[in-house]
C-alpha cells in the first residue's frame, strides 16, 4: 500500500508517518520504480503500536525501548515493566502538578468578580504583579515527562 493508503487505514497524517520513519520508529519501506513508498501489513501493525503508545503519552525514547522488546519477544520483559512503572510515576507527578495549576487558576479567577473594564481587573493586576517577581515564574504545572514528544495528532 502507498503512504496515503496507510495514512487512511491508520487514521494518521502522512507527515506523521514520515516523521516516525525519520525517528526510526517505523522501518524504511520498500520503494517502487517510481520511488513511491510501499508499505506492508507489518508497517500498519507497527504504526498502530506506536500510535497506541503515543495515546498513552509515552515519549519516543520509551516507544523505541518498547519496540526493541516487541521485535525480540524472547527477551525478559522486566525492563518493560520498569518502563511502565516509571511512566506511571511521571503521569502521577503530572496529575499532581495539574491539580496545583487548577488551584492557582481558580485563585486567580477569584481576583475579578465582574465584566467591568480591564483596568481594574484583578486578574490582569495579579498577572502583572507576578510578572515582576522572578520567583513567580515556574510555579505552575509544566510537562514533567520527556522532551521528545511528537507534535499534536501524532
Amino acid at each position: 500500500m502507498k503512504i496515503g493508503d496507510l495514512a487512511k487505514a491508520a487514521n494518521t497524517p502522512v507527515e506523521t508517518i514520515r516523521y516516525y520513519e525519520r525517528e526510526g520508529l517505523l522501518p524504511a519501506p520498500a520503494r517502487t520504480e517510481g520511488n513511491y513508498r510501499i508499505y506492508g501489513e507489518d508497517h500498519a501493525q507497527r504504526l498502530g503500536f506506536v500510535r497506541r503508545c503515543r495515546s498513552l503519552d509515552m515519549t519516543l525514547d520509551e516507544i523505541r525501548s518498547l519496540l526493541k522488546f516487541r521485535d525480540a519477544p524472547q527477551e525478559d520483559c522486566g525492563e518493560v515493566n520498569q518502563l511502565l512503572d516509571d511512566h506511571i510515576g511521571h503521569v502521577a507527578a503530572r496529575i499532581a502538578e495539574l491539580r496545583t495549576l487548577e488551584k492557582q487558576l481558580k485563585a486567580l479567577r477569584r481576583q475579578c468578580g465582574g465584566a467591568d473594564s480591564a483596568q481594574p481587573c484583578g486578574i490582569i493586576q495579579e498577572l502583572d504583579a507576578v510578572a515582576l517577581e522572578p520567583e513567580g515564574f515556574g510555579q505552575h504545572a509544566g510537562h514533567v515527562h520527556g522532551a521528545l514528544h511528537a507534535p499534536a495528532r501524532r
Side-chain angles (χ1 to χ4, degrees):
M1 73 183 98
K2 291 183 180 177
I3 195 166
D5 299 326
L6 177 61
K8 282 182 187 172
N11 194 27
T12 304
V14 167
E15 193 51 44
T16 300
I17 295 169
R18 290 184 181 132
Y19 175 76
Y20 289 157
E21 284 178 27
R22 286 191 306 272
E23 290 296 321
L25 299 174
L26 292 176
R31 295 210 177 234
T32 66
E33 288 182 24
N35 207 27
Y36 288 103
R37 292 174 168 97
I38 298 296
Y39 296 89
E41 184 58 33
D42 56 324
H43 287 98
Q45 289 291 325
R46 192 172 183 98
L47 178 58
F49 182 91
V50 170
R51 295 217 359 115
R52 177 66 175 135
C53 290
R54 291 294 298 131
S55 76
L56 295 170
D57 201 35
M58 292 184 181
T59 66
L60 299 185
D61 285 338
E62 288 171 326
I63 296 169
R64 281 185 197 95
S65 294
L66 291 172
L67 285 169
K68 287 178 188 172
F69 286 97
R70 183 179 183 266
D71 295 340
Q74 71 283 0
E75 295 293 323
D76 183 333
C77 70
E79 287 182 49
V80 173
N81 292 326
Q82 185 60 54
L83 184 147
L84 199 60
D85 290 343
D86 291 346
H87 187 68
I88 291 167
H90 295 302
V91 169
R94 202 156 126 221
I95 289 169
E97 287 185 346
L98 287 169
R99 285 187 178 130
T100 299
L101 175 60
E102 179 185 30
K103 288 177 187 174
Q104 290 172 348
L105 289 169
K106 285 179 176 179
L108 184 60
R109 176 60 184 92
R110 288 190 295 269
Q111 299 299 313
C112 186
D116 207 352
S117 69
Q119 191 219 9
C121 178
I123 294 171
I124 299 297
Q125 291 175 3
E126 180 71 19
L127 290 171
D128 270 339
V130 172
L132 298 175
E133 303 170 13
E135 65 274 359
F137 289 107
Q139 303 295 320
H140 63 87
H143 190 74
V144 296
H145 172 230
L148 295 176
H149 284 281
R153 287 211 55 194
R154 292 190 178 174

